[in-house]
């Protein structure tokens, strides 16, 4: 079985370096343009997205008018009260400092979910995949999957996040970069 994991193209939030998980943004014009330069030869797979605009639009730019399914458990982490804010906006707030201090994976932002909670929901959905699949999803989702499957690589979740429009191909023999 092959599983392709592709990160959505850039959004305004990516370009402005904002926390964006549950906010359903479309691709930016720059994001669309960058995707048009990428070519993947992925065929005979089930196409799947998180169901969010940026993932759906990425799939359509990369693969055209192909049928695809949506699975909301592959959505990005919900940053709660920190959604659509930058580090600069938040850095002096006590709630933000409490969130980024200590175990950043376990800490829950106000009104959001922790990295641990997101990882649990994502892995549940991932391990239900039973056929060759091309999943267009989010950086945190891809990182959570890769960190779980390949701990021997010694990478943090942030090191696993691919560039927008890129990702990994997972097989029974390991993985390759896309």
């Amino acid at each position: 079985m092959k599983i392709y994991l592709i990160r959505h193209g850039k959004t305004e939030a990516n370009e402005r370096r904002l926390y964006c998980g549950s906010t359903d943004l479309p691709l930016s014009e720059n994001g669309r343009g960058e995707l048009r330069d990428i070519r993947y030869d992925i065929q005979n797979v089930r196409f799947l997205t998180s169901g969010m605009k940026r993932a759906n639009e990425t799939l359509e730019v990369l693969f055209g008018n192909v049928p695809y399914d949506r699975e909301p458990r592959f959505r990005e982490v919900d940053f709660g009260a920190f959604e659509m804010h930058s580090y600069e906006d938040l850095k002096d707030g006590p709630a933000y400092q409490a969130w980024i201090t200590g175990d950043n994976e376990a800490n829950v932002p106000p009104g959001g979910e922790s990295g641990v909670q997101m990882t649990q929901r994502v892995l549940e959905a991932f391990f239900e995949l039973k056929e060759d699949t091309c999943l267009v999803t989010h950086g945190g989702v891809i990182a959570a999957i890769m960190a779980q499957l390949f701990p021997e690589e010694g990478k943090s979740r942030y090191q696993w996040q691919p560039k927008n429009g890129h990702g990994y191909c997972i097989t029974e023999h390991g993985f390759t970069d896309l």
Side-chain angles (χ1 to χ4, degrees):
M1 187 166 73
K2 285 185 180 179
I3 306 291
Y4 298 90
L5 302 174
I6 299 175
R7 185 179 180 189
H8 65 77
K10 284 184 185 170
T11 66
E12 177 186 344
N14 296 129
E15 293 168 356
R16 294 178 51 208
R17 301 182 57 83
L18 305 177
Y19 288 101
C20 180
S22 62
T23 304
D24 199 11
L25 294 180
L27 296 175
S28 67
E29 284 306 311
N30 288 338
R32 283 182 174 280
E34 290 173 357
L35 290 174
R36 288 186 190 107
D37 295 333
I38 298 173
R39 297 284 176 261
Y40 292 119
D41 185 23
I42 299 174
Q43 302 173 31
N44 302 313
V45 298
R46 172 188 183 204
F47 286 99
L48 182 64
T49 74
S50 67
M52 300 191 85
K53 287 178 191 173
R54 58 195 181 263
N56 298 343
E57 291 176 2
T58 297
L59 184 137
E60 291 163 6
V61 171
L62 291 175
F63 300 103
N65 189 22
V66 297
Y68 64 94
D69 297 314
R70 296 162 181 86
E71 174 49 75
R73 291 179 293 173
F74 287 117
R75 289 180 174 218
E76 183 62 276
V77 68
D78 182 348
F79 292 107
F82 305 141
E83 278 282 321
M84 299 305 290
H85 293 283
S86 69
Y87 170 80
E88 287 301 315
D89 295 339
L90 299 168
K91 67 181 179 182
D92 296 324
Y96 181 74
Q97 285 300 316
W99 178 59
I100 64 169
T101 303
D103 187 350
N104 184 276
E105 283 295 300
N107 293 345
V108 181
E113 68 181 329
S114 71
V116 170
Q117 291 167 324
M118 181 270 292
T119 297
Q120 287 173 336
R121 105 173 120 71
V122 164
L123 291 177
E124 177 184 277
F126 181 80
F127 289 120
E128 290 175 8
L129 298 176
K130 302 294 183 215
E131 61 190 304
D132 291 353
T133 301
C134 179
L135 171 60
V136 180
T137 188
H138 309 271
V141 170
I142 293 171
I145 293 167
M146 296 301 289
Q148 173 71 27
L149 295 180
F150 303 102
E152 69 279 3
E153 295 288 321
K155 292 184 180 182
S156 74
R157 198 174 101 176
Y158 300 102
Q159 292 170 313
W160 277 116
Q161 285 195 27
K163 294 179 182 176
N164 294 93
H166 297 274
Y168 304 98
C169 176
I170 301 170
T171 68
E172 64 273 7
H173 303 296
F175 71 93
T176 55
D177 293 340
L178 294 177

